[in-house]
Amino acid sequence: MIDGMYQVKRISRSEFVPIRNHKYHVRVWGEAQPDVAPLMLMHGWMDVGASFQFLVDALTDTFASGRQIIAPDWRGFGLTSAAPVDHYWFPDYLADLDFLLDHYAGERAVDLVGHSMGGNAVMQYAGARPQRIRRLINIEGFGVPRGRSSSAPKRYAYWMDELKALNRGEMKLKAYDSVEAVAQRLIKTNPRLGRDQAARDRAQWLAHHWASRTAAGQWEIQGDVAHKIRGATVSNLDEVLALYEAITAPTLFVDAAEDSLAGWYDG
């Protein structure tokens, strides 16, 4: 433990699970209990399962005792192996989650939490597999904006142009000179991580899990640059609403007061 860094209260272990030709990295707290629903925590875009450490530490002993808590790194994020592809398709997240629940929950229904991109994924998954979800929490996971069919020609052209830019090595994730610089990047994205020393300690701790040191001594975000490629198809609002309507689990939606993404959706 580095001096001044956040002190973890509940210790997790790392597991690697073969899922659809990936080696999925999963952070696990506690042991499986036959009569207690596992709690699955699904992170957002360019994030990692370790970000949930602070939430897990904040849970009461009554809630956390005897409950297995599971936070995977989505494909191409964190320590989960990147796909040998040049772009990602959103339905793969749903299928990956289905396989993960097979592994960790079997026939048991789970309590499922998703943040941001993970919130979108768990909402759609809960509509496709309603019987597998006991309770559902969506944290800032409504979006993307309504797609318009008229935008398809430009969108497909843009998608192909981005693929070529990636192939030419023109799309990269920024490298940082130190882990402290990574922590400052986290604080820039989420200013609450810089409000006091305790928050800055969290940023320092998370930086060690959000990025890794290269052989050249720089720190790079643990995310596949191909995640920056925009999807080729327009979002289908009718399809998403049909999935929402199929959800049967009690559902809580958490909308942050300081949501930096709201401006992107234009209402």
Side-chain angles (χ1 to χ4, degrees), residues 32-245:
Q33 303 294 329
D35 300 324
V36 182
L39 175 62
M40 296 286 295
L41 306 172
M42 311 306 297
H43 69 78
W45 188 78
M46 284 298 167
D47 207 347
V48 291
S51 293
F52 285 110
Q53 179 69 55
F54 313 126
L55 183 150
V56 173
D57 283 345
L59 297 174
T60 65
D61 291 338
T62 300
F63 180 88
S65 179
R67 177 187 293 260
Q68 188 172 62
I69 303 173
I70 304 157
D73 295 339
W74 286 117
R75 58 168 56 202
F77 292 116
L79 299 179
T80 294
S81 59
V85 297
D86 55 7
H87 70 286
Y88 287 82
W89 193 45
F90 199 84
D92 276 325
Y93 300 125
L94 277 62
D96 289 355
L97 179 54
D98 204 44
F99 278 73
L100 284 164
L101 292 187
D102 286 346
H103 180 83
Y104 282 103
E107 298 300 317
R108 291 174 298 162
V110 303
D111 294 338
L112 184 60
V113 178
H115 172 239
S116 193
M117 183 196 83
N120 279 291
V122 302
M123 289 286 287
Q124 294 186 30
Y125 179 81
R129 297 283 203 205
Q131 73 280 7
R132 305 200 75 168
I133 313 304
R134 192 183 77 113
R135 297 286 187 272
L136 180 65
I137 299 179
N138 173 9
I139 305 171
E140 302 180 280
F142 280 128
V144 294
R146 178 199 300 267
R148 291 176 172 80
S149 299
S150 59
S151 70
K154 289 185 178 179
R155 189 177 183 92
Y156 275 110
Y158 189 86
W159 176 68
M160 290 184 284
D161 288 343
E162 282 199 321
L163 292 177
K164 290 181 179 179
L166 180 68
N167 187 63
R168 292 193 297 264
E170 296 170 3
M171 299 182 71
K172 299 180 183 297
L173 296 177
K174 182 179 178 179
Y176 298 86
D177 292 333
S178 66
V179 71
E180 289 76 16
V182 176
Q184 288 303 312
R185 175 64 179 83
L186 289 167
I187 291 170
K188 180 180 179 181
T189 301
N190 182 0
R192 286 167 293 184
L193 287 173
R195 287 180 177 172
D196 54 37
Q197 188 57 53
R200 289 190 289 273
D201 289 346
R202 286 181 169 88
Q204 182 81 359
W205 182 90
L206 186 55
H208 283 83
H209 298 273
W210 199 63
S212 59
R213 192 173 187 178
T214 68
Q218 290 189 307
W219 289 77
E220 292 183 347
I221 297 171
Q222 295 189 111
D224 186 357
V225 68
H227 284 294
K228 296 181 71 173
I229 300 291
R230 297 186 188 182
T233 57
V234 297
S235 57
N236 186 325
L237 180 61
D238 291 337
E239 179 179 295
V240 172
L241 291 178
L243 287 164
Y244 288 179
E245 289 172 0

